[in-house]
Amino acid sequence: MEMPPPDAQIVARKSAVLARLAQVLPADSILSDIAETRAYECDALTAYRCPPMLVVLPHTTQQVSEVLHICHTEGVPVVPRGSGTSLAGGALPTADCVVLGVAKMNAVLETDYDNRFIRVQSGRTNLSVTGAVEDAGFFYAPDPSSQLACAIAGNIAMNSGGAHCLKYGVTTNNLMGVTLVMMDGQIVEIGGAHLDAPGLDLLGVICGSEGQLGVVTEATLRILHKPEGARPVLIGFDSNEVAGACVSDIIKSGVLPVAIEFMDRPCIRACEAFAKAGYPSCEALLIIEVEGSREEIADQLARITAIAHHHNPVEVREAQTEDEAARIWLGRKSAFGAMGQINDYMCLDGTIPVSELPHVLRRIGELSREFGLEVANVFHAGDGNMHPLILFDANKPGDLETCEAFGAEILKLCVEVGGCLTGEHGVGVEKRDLMRHQYTADDLEAQLKVKDVFDPKWLLNPAKVFPLHVTRSRRAPQ
Amino acid sequence: MIPTSERELTDAIASATGPLALIGGGTRGVSCAGEPLQLKGLSGVSLYDPGALTMVAQAGTPLSEITAMLAAENQQLAFEPSDLRRLLDTSGEPTVGGAFASLSAGPRRIQAGAARDFLLGVRFVDGLGTVVSNGGRVMKNVTGYDLVKLLAGSYGTLGALSEVSFKVLPAPECIGTLVWEGLDPARALSVFTGALGAPFDVTGAARLPEQGEQPARTLVRVEGFEKSVKYRLNELGKRFVDLPAPRVICTAQSQDQLWPQVRDVQPFQGQVGNVWRTSVKPSDMLQVMALSQFQHVVDWGGGLIWTLAPDGHDLRADLRKIAGHSTLVRASQGDLTSLGRFAPEPAPLAVLSAGLRAKFDPRGILNAGVMG
């Protein structure tokens, strides 16, 4: 994976840029020593690292504006950063950039239960948004696995999803407004506590733009009242095909669970060894969660298990108590930790039409044998969002490259069957060079034009999302 | 011009020498100067996968064809596209492309979302005749920028939609509505707030104005399996013991007479005057309604207010201190010109929007001026 070489002229001006930033920021907001900036050399895609030239951690929107204005006039690239949990390298720095972290901006600015929204600074973590409203019975719906650590800023940048978005939607469906600082320092308000824009849906294109159009410093988020209760059921099958057909039948029946999670045998085995959740030994396992009152839950689970019984399940386990519910989720929630204990792993998140599930799983198995690397599958089956985990050994020369090549083949397969490269993690640097498999040159050009409008000098997170050769002329110093 | 394929649409736009007026079904009363470019020739559903809740259709496909196909599988367009023909005195057949391009959003907006929230992928032809594809047909997709959202609600000013992929949802077995008669706006708002702040998955909260003998009606809707609907209606009813007991209506979707009245703004059909559509923070509904003696239809739990105002009246001037925006949905050409159909965007956003239009339609020939 290639990153553009640092601009030596910018690096040579480090102290001048630092001096200007020091005029607008308090001392605790600037890191310039390599011993400190090294902490920002990567995000959760740890295979790639590069300490930035400088790190700034502003306290206010006004400071963000001043930082961006300075970088704009100095021609210094800026890499925005939330909590640094991106699995796609969205916050990977270059040696000539300023990393702009929003971690110090984590306040709740307004909670309004009557109008069902919360306004927060964007450095606030996903889970602590719910934390701020749960005493009143409310929650913020998008729930990425990293929700304990990930920031709303990063959620907006990547349009994050989670296990429960089958019912509640992803970030873009729950985002009502933002305060956005443009690369030239201009502060703009988009949307708010009312719904839908009178003009073009700028909020819609900012969400998921991977920090390339502006820096979001505040967000208005929709909050919902928690359901009366929720309960999962676990269903085991002796083939992936049958489990896939069961998912499709459940959806067709009119029941809309809040989550349908799918694990294949390698994943079940690893999770069982790690978490001892008591999962059955089978080829495929579904965890389906429904919400409502006790009676509503019972009614929905009865419908779901009736459908499952048509598919000859090897096991159907309904949680009767909180403890049983927790045990059903335990293995699934431990999946990444379980894999991490076995080996290094790469987590992909291509999405496919649900009907292609059996074919794609079969083909991934074949590719696994061809590349000689094991793969386990755990994913959000209701919306086709796969999470193949490819195991490799980072200490073994060539293994990372083999793993990346294998991963690329899986993602190309996702696109071939009518899906996409990434369902919720984002493109970042990881999938940047695969974009041409999903989009034509004209399709990509249309997206580049959007960045041209928001960031004409191409200074915001410039080496991400698009293949470097496609953006080279735009990124050239102007 | 009535192209019948994306190729013909491309040729029509690339070879255009002047402004083009894009027309879907022509039912939403939005028009502009230019040679008419009809999109109804691009018709047909190319994929419907009920088990994946997705459909792909050419943009000119009649909505009626789509809803019929969905109904056969007990599914629906959950954003409840409105049928404004009687309100706007238009004829023709609403198209699926028009529903997305105009960001249709019915009473279920507060729970399920607007058209934008269901659009998964688009193919469109930009102002130079280039075909662009964005998004896809899967429910979760963050591959590159979300031009899908940008195209939804762009009224053809960035490109002519040729194909749309969208998410559909199961149709409810039962629709349950609580109806309170004669509540004033303040008490209606307290019902909305109480119902939407409860754990019962309310999918509609609206108020129809007094009409002749019929007093104003405050409506709260829940949907789903019959048993669940009845349970939730009962639980909701208990929350408003200080109000007169509401009427309870449970019906199959095909029999529902109530919610189309809200969705299609039935109380203003055939009435003289301009029709405004105002989006505000729900609790600001009271201020909006207190400003005048005009008639209002309230939707989205107070967040959407349809107002019937006299010709020439500038409702936006009344509301300038309230955050939100008003669209002039029905008016004479004179009023549309002097008042503007859409609220002007704040200056920095207007610059961004103009910049985007200049990139996608550098000749400024696609529905020029439709959005101001």
Side-chain angles (χ1 to χ4, degrees), chain B residues 10-70:
Chain B
T10 304
D11 291 345
I13 293 176
S15 63
T17 53
L20 296 171
L22 308 185
I23 300 165
T27 65
R28 294 180 188 276
V30 178
S31 60
C32 65
E35 187 180 350
L37 178 56
Q38 303 262 7
L39 294 166
K40 64 183 178 191
L42 294 165
S43 186
V45 172
S46 54
L47 183 146
Y48 175 30
D49 186 351
L53 301 173
T54 43
M55 186 179 261
V56 182
Q58 293 195 69
T61 310
L63 266 181
S64 54
E65 186 179 325
I66 284 170
T67 49
M69 279 179 78
L70 292 173

Side-chain angles (χ1 to χ4, degrees), chain A residues 198-199, chain B residues 316 324-326 339-347 349-350 371-372:
Chain B
R316 272 184 214 120
H325 53 89
S326 299
L339 299 170
R341 181 180 294 277
F342 293 96
E345 288 177 282
L349 303 191
M371 294 187 81

Side-chain angles (χ1 to χ4, degrees), chain A residues 15 181 230 253 283 295 456:
Chain A
S15 52
V181 187
S253 77
E283 286 302 312
E295 291 77 15

